[in-house]
Amino acid sequence: MPVEVEPGTEVAGATVNVGGRLVVRVTKVGADTALAQIARLVTEAQSGKAPVQRLADRISAVFVPIVIAAAVATLAFWLAAGGGTAFAFAAAVAALIIACPCALGLATPTALLVGTGRGAQLGILIKGPEVLESTRRIDTIVLDKTGTVTTGQMSLIEITLADGVGREETLRLVGALEDASEHPIAQAIAKAAKAELGALPAVEGFANHEGLGVEGVVDGYALVVGQPALLADWAMHLTAELEAARHAAQALGRTAIAAGWDGQARAIFDVADTVKPTSAEAIGRLKALGLTPILLTGDNEVTARAVAAEVDIDEVIAEVLPAGKAEVVKRLQGEGRVVAMVGDGVNDAPALAQADLGLAIGTGTDVAIEASDLTLISGDLRAAADAIRISRRTLGTIKSNLFWAFAYNVVLIPVAMAGFLNPLFAGAAMALSSVFVVSNSLRLRGFKAERTDGRQQEAHAGGPPSIPQQPADAIGAP
C-alpha cells in the first residue's frame, strides 16, 4: 500500500513514487543505509546459529577406533588362547569386515540425497542436513503477511451501490477513470473492470489530486473518485448506506474508495490485498503438525487481524519495523520456543536468518532466499507444511538407517570375535547391510504432497515442478 509522505518524512532508498514530484535529501550513505543495516542484521543472525553436526560423524568418530581395537584384541586373544594363527587372523579379519562402517557412512548421504531430490521435484529446496534437525524441533511458525499469506497485490473485493445505480455502468465508468492513474488501488479497480467488461471508454480532462483521488470526464459524465472529502468538495455526500459500507470495509482492513457523478455519490469500492486461496488450508496443515502459527507484519493492527481471522490464526503481531521482525523472533526464542519463519521480502531476511528454521517464498526477493534454510519455489503456502513433513521424514529415515546399521554391528561383531563367522560370510552380510540402507532411503521417493481435498501432488520426473497460477481476482460480493 502506498504511504502518504510530506516534507520531513524519511524514505528508504528504492522507495517507489507512485505520483507527483518527490525531492529527497540523502541523510545516510554506505553502511548507514537501511539496506546495509538489513544486510548486517542478516549476517549477525547467521553467525549466531551453531551448525548441527551430522549424527553419523559423531557415531563413526567413536565406532571406528573401538572396532580396530576389538579386532586387535581378538587377534591377540586367540593367539594367546592357542587357537592357531590362521583361526586368530580369520576371527580378527571377520570382525573388521563385518564392522566395516559402509552402512553407517551411507546412512546419512543416501537419505539426504533421496529426500532433498524428492523435495526439489515438489518445489522444495533443502540447503543441508542441519535443516532437517531444525524441522524436528520447531513448535512455533511465524508468517509474514504480505506476499506470504496474501497475494501482495491489491484487488477489488466488493462494490456497494446507491439505490438505482447499475453495477456494470458504475464499474465501466469508474474503471475507465482509474485506468488513467498509476496508483495501485486505481489499477486494481481498472484491472477488475477490464477483466469483467473488456475494453473501457476514453477519459477526458483527467486530473490527479495527491492523497485524495482523481477526476475526469467519461462518456459525458464528470466523475470524481477517491476520498469522501474529495467528493464533498463537489457537493457529493455519501448516503447513510454508502457511509455504513465504507466503515464496514475499514473495519475489515480494506481500503474504501468513493465514486460519484452528476452531483451524487454513487458507489463504494472495497479494495484490499487478498488472501491466497490456499493459505487457510496451509495454516490448518501447519497446526496439524503441532505448530503454533503467528502472523507478523508491518501493516496496521486492523488489517492484520482481519487477515488472521480469515486464515484462522489467533496470535497477531502488527506494525513491526524490518529490524523489529528479527527482534520478535529472538524474543520468542528467549521464551523457550523453537521458531520457524516464513517470508518473502527484503525486510523479512533478518528474521529468516535469526529463526531456527527459515523458509523463503521462491517468488520473493533474492536476499530472503539467501537468508533462509528452505526455499519454497511456488508461492503456495501449503508447500511450507510439505517442506516440514519431508524434512522430518528424511531425518527419520537417516536415524532408522543409523539404528539398523549400528544394531547389525552390535549383534554380529561379537559373533565374529568368537570365531563363529567366516570372513566370506562376513563380507556378504556387510554388503547386505549397505543394500538395506540404500533401499530404506529410496522409500522417500514415494513421498507425496497431501492436500486436504484428498488429492496428492505428483512430481514431474522430467524437470522442475510447474508453478500453479493464481486464480483471477475475486470481483463483486463475497
Side-chain angles (χ1 to χ4, degrees), residues 84-110:
T85 303
F87 181 83
F89 270 99
V93 169
L96 276 177
I97 292 175
I98 200 69
C100 182
C102 293
L104 284 172
L106 289 170
T108 297
T110 54

Side-chain angles (χ1 to χ4, degrees), residues 157-215:
I157 306 299
E158 186 177 0
I159 304 175
T160 303
L161 304 169
D163 291 338
V165 178
R167 184 182 186 283
E168 184 174 322
E169 181 188 30
T170 300
L171 186 59
R172 184 174 63 85
L173 294 175
V174 175
L177 180 62
E178 293 286 55
D179 192 35
S181 172
E182 296 180 352
H183 197 286
I185 292 176
Q187 285 301 303
I189 296 174
K191 179 181 177 183
K194 289 177 181 178
E196 185 171 330
L197 305 175
L200 300 174
V203 179
E204 299 175 357
F206 177 83
N208 179 45
H209 300 276
E210 293 297 330
L212 291 174
V214 294
E215 63 180 74

Side-chain angles (χ1 to χ4, degrees), residues 254-308:
R254 301 172 182 172
T255 299
I257 302 298
W261 63 89
D262 284 349
Q264 294 183 21
R266 305 280 180 167
I268 293 291
F269 288 73
D270 294 1
V271 178
D273 177 12
T274 54
V275 172
K276 292 179 181 178
T278 58
S279 290
E281 179 184 339
I283 298 304
R285 294 180 58 201
L286 291 169
K287 288 182 175 181
L289 290 171
L291 307 180
T292 301
I294 298 174
L295 189 66
L296 178 66
T297 179
D299 212 338
N300 65 75
E301 184 86 13
V302 173
T303 301
R305 293 208 171 273
V307 171

Side-chain angles (χ1 to χ4, degrees), residues 160-163 224-250 256-261 263-270:
T160 303
L161 304 169
D163 291 338
V224 181
V225 179
Q227 300 286 350
L230 181 61
L231 271 70
D233 289 343
W234 289 76
M236 301 182 197
H237 301 283
L238 299 184
T239 64
E241 181 184 3
L242 294 180
E243 188 66 43
R246 187 174 76 91
H247 286 300
Q250 292 174 337
I257 302 298
W261 63 89
Q264 294 183 21
R266 305 280 180 167
I268 293 291
F269 288 73
D270 294 1

